[in-house]
Amino acid sequence: MSFEGLPPTFLLLLLLAVNTGICFFGLSTISLVLQRWLSASNLKESENPYILYSPSNLGSILGLLSYPFVVERLLRHDSQSSAWWIGYLLLILILIPCTPKKVKEEAGEDVKSEDLKDSANTSSPLRWLGLSTCGSALLLATTNIISFDIASTALLWVLPLTLYLLTFVLVFKSKTWFPSCLMTVAFWILPLGLVIGWFAELHIVLPSMILMGVLYLATLFVLCMCCHGTLHRERPRDPGQLTRFYLYMSLGGFTGSVFINWLIPLISDRSIEYPLTLFLTVLLLSYSKGHQATQRTWSYTAVYLVVLLGVFFVIGKFKVDPQLAFLGIGLLIMLPLIATKRSPSQFRNFYACGIIALLASPYLISSSTNHFFHRNFYGIYKIFDQNGKRHLHHGTTLHGTQYLDDSDKHFLPLAYYHPNTPSGALLNGNPLGLTRIGMIGLGSGEYLNEGQSMTVYEQDRDNVEIADSHFTFLQRGRDQGAEIDFVVGDGRLALKSVEDESFDLFIVDAFSSDSIPVHLVTVEAMQE
C-alpha cells in the first residue's frame, strides 16, 4: 500500500499510531485507573484522588527533560528499546500491590456519593471541555509562534510544554497552588498578549528575541494556570465522576490540538490561532450568567472598533513613524481593556474588537502589496511586493528577493545568492566551470548558465510551485539552457541513493524559518 501524496500531518499521525499507539493507549489509562483505585481505598488521600494528576505530570516533565539530555546521550536506540520493555514490566509489578482489597464498605461509598451529589451537579462538563481546550490550544499556538517567528531552535518547544505540564503539577497537588491574584494578573496580561500577538502578525520582532520569548512564555504560564486552576476548582467531588471528568479533560486536549493543527490551517493561510485562542480564553475566564451585554455596551463596542480601524488606516495612509505607531496602538488596545476588566461583558466585546483590528492591520498599515499567502505543514509562506521588489517570507524570515521594475537588476539575487556571497561568487558567471550542481533547499530559486545542470532536493513540494510561479530565476535558468531537476522529499534521505562524485558543487541551503534543521548538522549527516 502506497502512502505517497498523503498530507504530512496524516502520515505523521499514522506513523505514531502504528509504532506507539498501543503503548500510548495503555499508559494513558493508568492515571485514571490509579485514581479510581485510590478513591476506593481506606487511605486518607481517597477523599481527593485528583492529587495523582500532580505527580503524573511531574513524571511527564522528568521524562521530557531526561530523554534528550540523558537517555539519548547514554543509550543507543536498541538499548533504549530494551530499557522501555523492562520499564513496562516493572510498572506492571509495581501496580499489582496497588489493586484495591475492597475493604471499603459499599454502604459507606453510597453515603459518600450521596453527600457529594449536589457538589457534582454544580460542575459543567462543557466548562471542563472548554477550559482544557484553552490550555491545549494556548500551548500549541505559543509553540508555533516561538518556533516559527522567534527562533527555530532545536528543542525550544520543550519550554512551553514544560510550563504547560507544570501548571497541572501546581494546581492538582495535595495543597493546591492557585493564588487568587493570578486571575487578576490574567486580565492584565491578556491585553499584553493581544499586543504581542499583533507584533507577530505584522512580523515585528523586538530587539531582544529573549524578551519576546519570555513574554510569550509568561503569558502561557499565567493563562494555563487560570484555566487549569478553574478546572481544579470546578472538579466533581464525587469519585464516581472521575471517569467523566478525565474523559472531558482528555477530549479538551484533543480538541485544542485539532483546532490549532487541523482547523486553523484549513480556514486561514495566516497565523491567526494565537489571537483566536486568547479570545476563547477570555470568553471562558470572564463568563458569568449575571454579566450580559446591554445595548449601551454594544454601542461602546461599535465606537471602539471604528476608532481602532480608523487609527490603523491613518497610520498606513500617512506613513507614521513605526515606533510612534507601535506605542500608540499598544496603548489604544491595552488601556481600554485594562479600564474595563471589572466589566466582563465590556471586556469581552473590546477584546473582540482588538482581535478584528489585529487581523485587519496588515491590510491597513502595511506599505506593501500582499501578493500571496500559503500555509502548510512546514509553515506559512508570504509573498509581497514592496519598494519595487518581490519578497518571499517563511515565518518572519526572508528567503528570497527579486527586483520587479529594474530590467538591469531583474535577475540579480538579493538574498543568500547575491554575487558578493560565497555561493553567489561560484554561481555568477561560473568562473570555475562547474557543470553538475546539487543543492538542498530551494528558496525562491537561483541563477544558472548554459551547460549547467542542477538537482534541487526540496522537502516542501509547495515551495517548488511557489518559486516557479511567483519568481523568474528558475525560468531564466531554463532559458539560458540550464537543466533543473527537483527531488521532493527529505534531502538527507534522498542523498543516500546518489553516487559519489555525482556533483561538482553541492550546496546545503536548507532552512526551517531562520535555522538549519538539526538533522542536517549532526555528525551522521556530515558523514553521509
Side-chain angles (χ1 to χ4, degrees):
M1 183 177 179
S2 175
F3 298 105
E4 186 177 354
L6 292 177
T9 305
F10 179 81
L11 290 176
L12 181 61
L13 289 176
L14 183 62
L15 178 65
L16 292 174
V18 172
N19 290 342
T20 63
I22 296 177
C23 295
F24 182 80
F25 178 79
L27 290 174
S28 66
T29 61
I30 291 177
S31 178
L32 176 60
V33 172
L34 285 178
Q35 288 182 72
R36 194 69 185 94
W37 286 357
L38 179 59
S39 67
S41 71
N42 281 329
L43 299 173
K44 63 178 182 179
E45 291 83 2
S46 63
E47 296 181 359
N48 183 22
Y50 298 98
I51 60 174
L52 292 183
Y53 277 123
S54 183
S56 67
N57 282 282
L58 182 59
S60 298
I61 294 175
L62 293 177
L64 176 67
L65 298 179
S66 65
Y67 182 77
F69 300 111
V70 179
V71 176
E72 196 171 31
R73 291 176 179 268
L74 299 180
L75 298 177
R76 296 172 56 88
H77 283 176
D78 53 351
S79 301
Q80 290 178 31
S81 180
S82 301
W84 299 144
W85 280 111
I86 294 173
Y88 294 144
L89 293 176
L90 289 175
L91 179 62
I92 294 174
L93 293 176
I94 293 173
L95 290 177
I96 291 175
C98 297
T99 307
K101 303 293 190 299
K102 296 295 183 183
V103 292
K104 183 176 287 188
E105 296 182 3
E106 296 294 329
E109 290 187 359
D110 291 338
V111 172
K112 181 179 177 182
S113 179
E114 187 67 24
D115 290 341
L116 296 172
K117 183 177 180 180
D118 293 336
S119 177
N121 286 337
T122 61
S123 302
S124 167
L126 290 180
R127 285 274 291 173
W128 304 337
L129 177 66
L131 291 167
S132 182
T133 298
C134 279
S136 174
L138 281 167
L139 165 66
L140 295 171
T142 303
T143 303
N144 284 350
I145 287 181
I146 289 179
S147 299
F148 285 120
D149 293 342
I150 296 182
S152 182
T153 304
L155 298 178
L156 188 62
W157 56 269
V158 169
L159 292 177
L161 180 54
T162 300
L163 289 178
Y164 172 79
L165 295 173
L166 181 61
T167 60
F168 280 109
V169 175
L170 296 175
V171 165
F172 282 93
K173 66 189 185 75
S174 55
K175 291 184 178 179
T176 183
W177 187 81
F178 179 48
S180 57
C181 64
L182 270 184
M183 193 65 77
T184 302
V185 172
F187 282 93
W188 283 86
I189 207 171
L190 276 165
L192 177 62
L194 188 59
V195 172
I196 62 176
W198 175 73
F199 281 5
E201 177 65 24
L202 292 180
H203 303 305
I204 301 167
V205 180
L206 294 181
S208 172
M209 290 191 297
I210 295 178
L211 175 60
M212 287 291 289
V214 169
L215 287 175
Y216 278 112
L217 292 175
T219 302
L220 171 69
F221 178 76
V222 171
L223 296 183
C224 280
M225 279 294 298
C226 291
C227 288
H228 298 156
T230 305
L231 198 61
H232 175 267
R233 188 175 59 205
E234 299 183 6
R235 71 195 187 281
R237 270 50 173 190
D238 180 6
Q241 297 283 331
L242 269 173
T243 305
R244 190 181 183 205
F245 180 71
Y246 186 82
L247 175 63
Y248 278 99
M249 276 188 61
S250 302
L251 185 59
F254 172 75
T255 303
S257 178
V258 170
F259 175 69
I260 298 298
N261 294 325
W262 292 76
L263 182 60
I264 293 296
L266 285 177
I267 64 176
S268 176
D269 288 328
R270 293 164 55 194
S271 179
I272 64 172
E273 58 265 31
Y274 190 73
L276 290 184
T277 302
L278 289 177
F279 183 58
L280 180 62
T281 306
V282 167
L283 289 178
L284 283 167
L285 294 183
S286 66
Y287 175 77
S288 175
K289 293 182 179 179
H291 296 90
Q292 302 298 326
T294 62
Q295 185 174 356
R296 176 179 293 181
T297 300
W298 288 112
S299 300
Y300 290 158
T301 302
V303 172
Y304 181 58
L305 179 59
V306 170
V307 170
L308 270 181
L309 295 177
V311 169
F312 281 135
F313 178 77
V314 169
I315 290 175
K317 185 74 172 177
F318 296 100
K319 307 295 187 298
V320 178
D321 178 71
Q323 293 184 349
L324 181 62
F326 302 156
L327 176 63
I329 292 173
L331 293 176
L332 187 61
I333 290 177
M334 292 191 65
L335 291 181
L337 288 173
I338 292 173
T340 59
K341 63 187 178 65
R342 295 185 179 276
S343 174
S345 59
Q346 191 68 73
F347 185 89
R348 289 194 299 269
N349 288 3
F350 276 17
Y351 209 91
C353 292
I355 298 291
I356 295 172
L358 184 150
L359 297 179
S361 59
Y363 304 100
L364 297 175
I365 292 181
S366 178
S367 60
S368 63
T369 301
N370 294 314
H371 187 70
F372 178 77
F373 283 100
H374 180 68
R375 179 173 185 159
N376 63 12
F377 178 79
Y378 301 103
I380 298 176
Y381 294 92
K382 177 184 177 182
I383 298 175
F384 60 94
D385 299 339
Q386 187 176 34
N387 299 327
K389 301 173 187 175
R390 175 159 295 175
H391 306 273
L392 170 63
H393 270 213
H394 185 255
T396 57
T397 305
L398 180 66
H399 282 284
T401 300
Q402 182 177 23
Y403 279 106
L404 292 176
D405 303 324
D406 193 332
S407 58
D408 295 333
K409 299 180 179 180
H410 185 59
F411 296 109
L412 175 68
L414 299 174
Y416 308 119
Y417 296 97
H418 190 279
N420 291 336
T421 65
S423 297
L426 287 173
L427 293 173
N428 187 26
N430 194 20
L432 298 182
L434 304 171
T435 58
R436 298 168 300 173
I437 302 171
M439 184 172 64
I440 294 181
L442 173 61
S444 60
E446 294 73 31
Y447 46 165
L448 295 171
N449 302 286
E450 184 178 357
Q452 288 183 312
S453 65
M454 173 177 279
T455 302
V456 181
Y457 298 88
E458 170 60 45
Q459 186 167 18
D460 188 358
R461 185 184 305 274
D462 294 340
N463 192 37
V464 176
E465 183 178 347
I466 288 172
D468 231 346
S469 302
H470 300 280
F471 295 85
T472 58
F473 292 121
L474 294 176
Q475 187 57 48
R476 177 185 182 270
R478 296 188 185 99
D479 294 341
Q480 293 287 326
E483 296 181 5
I484 304 176
D485 297 318
F486 295 100
V487 177
V488 177
D490 190 298
R492 180 179 170 184
L493 297 178
L495 284 178
K496 292 182 178 181
S497 60
V498 178
E499 297 180 1
D500 292 341
E501 302 181 12
S502 300
F503 300 110
D504 300 326
L505 172 69
F506 195 83
I507 304 171
V508 179
D509 184 32
F511 283 84
S512 175
S513 191
D514 198 26
S515 297
I516 301 174
V518 177
H519 74 286
L520 290 180
V521 291
T522 60
V523 173
E524 293 79 5
M526 292 299 105
Q527 290 173 345
E528 292 174 1

